[in-house]
């Protein structure tokens, strides 16, 4: 073997666009996902975990960047096959539904949660690895499946702590839009124009109705000064599409009336409205009124593969954006019906519908509402006064743990006691336990209430210092009860 | 845009060496990992989740295949940097410990769980993506940190359901082996020989003591008929190394006595024995006797980077191997002290020690002992007799769910009622609910006890058929209570 060359030291850094999650970030996400999984499971959905790696051919090209090969994904060649990290959970589900079609129950309801990877330009808050949490029903053509997912989405949001009234699930139907386009004389099979219209009206939130008009016709100068080419429709066509987006009435009946006017004679459009009526009826019968789920034609969803109902959960409370403006929190989940994805593999149409919850967005929302604090309570720290008595300190920590208290012995160099307390602070430890040999001989321990100590250090009067000693001596036999009492006091 | 060519249909298949996990497989793993996380957390360990992707330079080369670039990992080039999927959890931890060294508490106790990826030849039960579940302490040089991890490992095994007596955590120390090699006159800095000796004696389990002798000296014909080159030691040297492997005495004191004879004057060897004595004392003081944790020089661990104590959890109950032979279940977790991994990045030595639990192995063990059944109870199925009454069926399912019962409405084509019951069977549904319009008019529902039905169909006498009707009619108002009663009957 050749002699090893001296190598330069490797850089300790996360790759560009990736990040690490520490402590409370991991705990809070896990807890939130567990609550969502519980709802999904209770609705009869079965968990599925596919591998992170798929063949590029199975993944297909459904990301916005469609022109360059492997664009948008992290791909590598193995055994003469191109493999890639999954970019969403829907493509792997379509693969599974095709691969195991003879073994899976039909309809197949499944949920899944985990990271997905996108090879996109990273930006603030925009990472190349992020979590999704999906639920889909494959093999059910009835819109009852779409309605069920909307109801379940509503339940999920409430289960994780979003209050009723702070969110709304909006439902639309691609078929109605298709009907509007047909009524405008835009050819049914003109996929390119349809896709351009979809992409444009998906920007309604950002550019407003006049922006949509401009983009649908001749184009528009965007904020950065760049000119965005228009789709080339006439002003009349653009205005009717604008009316479609704004046709949400005071109630579902009014909405359906407005939509009916826009679709003209389109059979597909009429079918779309009827599906929306069924969804509204099913949800009303189960008590999901428009305070939770509402028919709203302004919901479009960017992805091209949707073929029927589309839905989106929006959080309606206000937050400050990075410019300091007050805005609605916005979308945290979305989905819809995609009847053609499994067909790619098998040639047979398999109806499917499903939702994806944006895990990081929903976590951010729970932080914004104060439901999550980003804090994981630290362990009780047993300090080390005598290195020789390590076994006894360990036994003390074990006693606390056996009583269900998170506890550990300080395992750094014990020489500097100040470092031990600094460590306890950094860990957000509620209590430090101190026992030198004289205390051991007397059968006592010192308990330092670190929460109270920090409070006193910050703003206590002399009287408070005296009346609330942050450090107390207790019998070793009472250790568990006394520590529990201090922890309870600060909860 | 060019006109799209007709593409051949993609194959619906998992890439070679990857697999999907369904239903109970996901639920059971999640439940097991939660129990382990709870133990880790109670010991004061903080969760960490690093990104799946690392720079190749940060990962380093610690996999067995060291000769080819990027061998053993899945790598790809992005922005002129080589990135790769992590192959274990230790390399990312070392990177994190270096990258955040000014912000993390020291010592830093962390746990992590998630998939890792290895670009190795897949085989039966050997996949390219699998789970690890690690806990490590970085920045604690004291062997109290090693002892703590051994105790925690023991607690984890019991927490997930391995009975005391069915496992043992074995502890050894690399320094003792180094001492033995020094006593044999093998140069301290002869890394290549040391690595070859390590790899060889790690096969002790498989090839037995005579196999180890052969491999340490002139080589050996293996089972497949291939000749494996020997390390080139003398027979005397090989026999002494063999004695080292077999020097576990009836108790720790005897073991230490035997080891002392083998290390001669080696200072490093003596330090290793002293560390093992400290570990044994610390564990004994906390009540972890040799029924749970034992000093055993036959534990080696294959990885080259360990510098001190090494440990391994073995399950001692018998199982049948694929050849039908009765064997001990074997190793499910292992780890040790690696004081040089962070130094790669920073140049400063940072002591560290940690354990990795083989998640799939431990799950297999829990299945072998019957603790896990591989079954996830299916939902109650509300069947669809009248398509028009879908909203009422959905409301019925919602009522059951609100009472905490997993329930769903059949969403396939309802025309063939037999298909609905077949679906319920496939889902392992405990109860099917049937309500036609006449039942609805009378305010009743039919409950079909599917567990009892399956049992009766299999082996019931006529009397049992009559006395235990698998289908009963109940008032709709009693739906929840009656369904709960049936489910409870079969638990």
């Amino acid at each position: 073997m050749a002699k090893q060359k001296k190598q330069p030291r490797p850089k300790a850094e996360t790759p560009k666009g990736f990040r690490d999650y520490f402590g409370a970030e991991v705990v809070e996400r896990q807890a939130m996902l567990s609550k969502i999984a519980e709802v999904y499971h209770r609705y009869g959905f079965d968990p599925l975990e596919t591998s992170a790696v798929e063949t590029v051919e199975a993944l297909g090209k459904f990301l916005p960047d469609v022109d360059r090969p492997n664009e948008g994904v992290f791909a590598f060649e193995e055994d003469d096959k191109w493999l890639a990290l999954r970019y969403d959970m829907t493509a792997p589900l379509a693969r599974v539904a095709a691969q195991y079609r003879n073994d899976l129950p039909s309809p197949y309801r499944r949920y899944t949660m985990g990271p997905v990877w996108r090879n996109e330009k990273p930006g603030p808050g925009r990472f190349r690895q992020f979590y999704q949490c999906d639920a889909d029903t494959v093999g059910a053509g009835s819109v009852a499946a779409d309605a069920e997912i909307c109801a379940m989405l509503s339940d999920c949001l409430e289960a994780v702590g979003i209050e009723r009234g702070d969110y709304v699930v909006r439902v639309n139907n691609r078929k109605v839009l298709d009907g509007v386009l047909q009524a405008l004389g835009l050819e049914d099979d003109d996929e390119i124009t349809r896709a351009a219209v979809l992409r444009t009206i998906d920007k309604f939130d950002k550019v407003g109705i006049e922006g949509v008009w401009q983009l649908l016709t001749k184009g528009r100068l965007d904020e950065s000064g760049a000119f965005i080419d228009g789709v080339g429709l006439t002003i009349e066509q653009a205005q009717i599409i604008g009316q479609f987006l704004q046709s949400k009435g005071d109630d579902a009946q009014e909405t359906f009336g407005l939509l009916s006017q826009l679709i003209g004679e389109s059979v597909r459009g009429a079918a779309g409205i009827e599906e929306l009526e069924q969804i509204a009826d099913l949800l009303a019968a189960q008590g999901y009124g428009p305070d939770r789920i509402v028919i709203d034609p302004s919901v479009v969803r960017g992805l091209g593969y949707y073929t029927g109902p589309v839905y989106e959960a929006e959080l309606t409370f206000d937050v400050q954006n990075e410019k300091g403006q007050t805005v609605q929190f916005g979308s945290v989940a979305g989905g819809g019906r995609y009847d053609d994805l499994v067909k790619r593999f098998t040639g047979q149409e398999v109806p499917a519908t499903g939702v994806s919850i944006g895990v990081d967005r929903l976590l951010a929302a729970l932080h914004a509402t104060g439901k999550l604090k980003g804090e994981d309570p630290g362990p009780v720290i047993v300090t080390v006064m005598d290195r020789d008595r390590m076994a006894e300190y360990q036994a003390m920590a074990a006693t606390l743990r056996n009583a269900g208290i998170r506890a550990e012995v300080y395992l750094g160099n014990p020489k500097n006691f100040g470092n031990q307390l600094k460590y306890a602070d950094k860990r957000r430890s509620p209590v430090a336990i101190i026992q030198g040999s004289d205390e051991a001989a007397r059968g006592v321990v010192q308990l330092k209430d670190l929460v109270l100590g920090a409070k006193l250090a910050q703003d206590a009067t002399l009287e408070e210092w005296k009346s609330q000693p942050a450090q107390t001596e207790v019998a070793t036999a009472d250790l568990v009860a006394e520590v529990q009492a201090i922890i309870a006091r600060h909860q």
Side-chain angles (χ1 to χ4, degrees), chain A residues 139-160:
Chain A
S142 154
V143 293
D146 304 275
E148 175 179 86
I149 285 184
C150 291
M152 184 167 72
L153 178 55
S154 163
D155 287 5
C156 282
L157 294 175
E158 295 188 16
V160 302

Side-chain angles (χ1 to χ4, degrees), chain A residues 454-461 464:
Chain A
K455 225 157 78 185
L456 290 176
Q458 209 166 33
D459 54 21
T461 63
E464 286 171 323

Side-chain angles (χ1 to χ4, degrees), chain A residues 32-42 111 113 133 156:
Chain A
M32 187 184 86
L33 290 178
S34 290
K35 285 176 195 161
I36 295 173
E38 211 183 300
V39 175
Y40 286 166
H41 193 261
R42 210 182 320 127
Y111 69 89
M113 30 196 59
C133 171
C156 282

